[in-house]
Amino acid sequence: MAKNNLHGSIIITYRCNARCNMCNCFKDPSRPEDEIDLETLKKLPDMAFTNITGGEPFIRKDIGDIVELLYKKTPRIVISTNGYFTDRIIELCERFPEIGIRISIEGLEETNNAIRGIPDGFNRGYCTLKKLVDMGHKDVGFGMTVQDMNCHDLVPLYEMANELGMEFATATLHNSFYFRKTDNKIDNKRMVAEEFEKLINRLLQSNSPKKWARGYFNHGLINYIYDQPRLLPCEMGTNGFFLDPFGNVLPCNGSTEKMTMGNLHEMTWDEIWNGEQAAKVREQVKHCSKNCWMIGSASPAMKQRIWVPGWWIIKHKFLKGGHYSLSENKFID
């Protein structure tokens, strides 16, 4: 089914019930009548992995039909959500027990609610997580976007994920057309980096190779926070793509302005993916200076150049006894 190990991220809506301090998506919502429909989604190619995201995906009442359609094109689907619509999420997971759910939690209760702007948002998200665990749902986890305001909650949330037997994902602040932000920044880089350092050491001290690889990913987040070049080349638009709610095929969600390869309402997938505009966009990606480090672009790059994170893991897990230090990074004062 998979085509060239292609990763697809489908933004099914820009509507959102959250008011996050690092994302202004809610200020520029899409209209339901303009959002991509099932007939257009049928034009997507086979993919190795598909992420459904937003906005808040569970605002769309037809999300079940979207998932059913996409499972004809991909063996694995993960939905990114704030976890607020518990009943809708549980209903979907009962219908599709193999689906992945990743809930965004930005810290412990007080911090999360301040960052995400959803009254009782922490409890709603945590309640959804617990219900998924109690029903035996296998592919569930949560993650946070780390910033000055919540960095001290990073390790406690990781420990919470461990106790629940869940996946734990991380990100940090980015600016782009997708987030509708240009002023996201880490003020105290050293403080945030030190919290990432603690997390990396916990990941390395585990017995899970997957967590060791996540250690490398978090090392890349420190590198990004300090405005350094990416650890691995970005090949978005080649091994991965985004589809926005209006049918535009984009290489990524990290650029300042949209880099549009074509519109799926107007063209076939092959016309877009193999067209002259797509080739121009790939050149733009090749010369992009933003150095984003998000899981959507970093994960495929890590898999394609497995020897790079592999050597880092050997060095820190085995040669250094599961120890990572910020002092190894020459750019950190």
Side-chain angles (χ1 to χ4, degrees):
M1 178 182 289
K3 181 179 180 180
N4 298 327
N5 202 32
L6 188 64
H7 287 218
S9 294
I10 316 302
I11 309 167
I12 62 173
T13 182
Y14 279 136
R15 290 176 284 158
C16 192
N17 61 315
R19 301 292 183 265
C20 300
N21 70 353
M22 68 289 198
C23 176
N24 284 336
C25 184
F26 66 91
K27 294 183 178 181
D28 185 26
S30 48
R31 297 186 304 171
E33 60 268 28
D34 294 334
E35 292 169 352
I36 195 161
D37 58 15
L38 294 176
E39 286 304 310
T40 306
L41 289 172
K42 287 179 181 178
K43 298 166 77 173
L44 286 169
D46 289 346
M47 295 165 280
F49 169 81
T50 303
N51 174 234
I52 297 176
T53 187
E56 170 48 50
F58 282 92
I59 283 180
R60 281 197 62 158
K61 301 294 179 61
D62 61 346
I63 190 169
D65 296 332
I66 292 172
V67 169
E68 183 176 12
L69 170 64
L70 290 177
Y71 263 129
K72 297 175 183 177
K73 299 176 175 294
T74 183
R76 184 160 185 255
I77 297 174
V78 172
I79 302 179
S80 302
T81 172
N82 59 40
Y84 187 84
F85 298 104
T86 304
D87 292 344
R88 298 180 196 177
I89 295 169
I90 298 302
E91 180 182 356
L92 188 78
C93 289
E94 289 174 341
R95 181 177 171 185
F96 302 101
E98 67 274 34
I99 201 163
I101 299 291
R102 296 293 179 271
I103 294 178
S104 297
I105 295 181
E106 305 303 341
L108 300 177
E109 183 171 4
E110 182 178 351
T111 306
N112 175 82
N113 293 352
I115 289 175
R116 297 198 72 82
I118 305 177
D120 205 33
F122 178 87
N123 289 328
R124 292 289 291 257
Y126 186 76
C127 174
T128 303
L129 287 168
K130 282 290 291 177
K131 286 189 175 182
L132 290 170
V133 170
D134 292 343
M135 66 187 277
H137 195 74
K138 295 179 180 179
D139 193 353
V140 58
F142 64 94
M144 65 185 294
T145 300
V146 182
Q147 54 180 291
D148 300 77
M149 191 172 170
N150 66 358
C151 67
H152 295 300
D153 291 351
L154 176 58
V155 172
L157 281 181
Y158 167 73
E159 300 295 355
M160 183 188 298
N162 267 354
E163 290 174 10
L164 293 169
M166 293 182 179
E167 303 280 341
F168 181 68
T170 48
T172 192
L173 300 178
H174 285 75
N175 293 300
S176 74
F177 76 89
Y178 174 76
F179 300 108
R180 277 70 162 184
K181 292 281 284 187
T182 59
D183 58 353
N184 280 327
K185 65 186 179 72
I186 302 292
D187 291 315
N188 191 333
K189 295 180 180 180
R190 181 74 192 207
M191 177 182 71
V192 175
E194 285 175 350
E195 297 304 317
F196 274 118
E197 178 187 47
K198 294 174 187 176
L199 175 64
I200 291 169
N201 280 307
R202 279 167 171 76
L203 292 166
L204 287 170
Q205 289 155 18
S206 76
N207 294 320
S208 167
K210 193 171 184 179
K211 289 184 179 180
W212 305 341
R214 287 197 182 120
Y216 176 82
F217 174 77
N218 282 279
H219 164 62
L221 287 175
I222 295 173
N223 184 75
Y224 171 75
I225 287 169
Y226 276 89
D227 304 312
Q228 297 299 300
R230 279 175 60 104
L231 298 177
L232 294 167
C234 177
E235 295 183 342
M236 292 302 289
T238 300
N239 57 20
F241 70 92
F242 277 73
L243 180 69
D244 79 4
F246 314 113
N248 296 306
V249 178
L250 317 168
C252 68
N253 66 339
S255 58
T256 302
E257 302 292 337
K258 282 185 181 180
M259 295 186 284
T260 304
M261 305 171 89
N263 189 283
L264 205 56
H265 292 306
E266 303 164 358
M267 304 166 70
T268 67
W269 176 260
D270 285 339
E271 286 173 338
I272 294 172
W273 199 245
N274 300 313
E276 290 183 12
Q277 180 60 25
K280 291 178 182 177
V281 167
R282 291 185 185 108
E283 281 299 309
Q284 287 180 270
V285 172
K286 193 179 297 184
H287 297 97
C288 178
S289 60
K290 289 204 70 174
N291 295 318
C292 302
W293 190 255
M294 302 188 216
I295 196 65
S297 63
S299 178
M302 288 169 62
K303 290 174 181 175
Q304 289 182 358
R305 294 169 175 79
I306 190 65
W307 60 90
V308 179
W311 168 243
W312 184 92
I313 290 168
I314 291 171
K315 177 181 176 182
H316 292 92
K317 173 64 182 178
F318 300 105
L319 300 183
K320 294 196 171 186
H323 182 69
Y324 171 88
S325 173
L326 286 177
S327 62
E328 300 170 27
N329 301 293
K330 296 178 182 178
F331 50 84
I332 294 180
D333 51 26

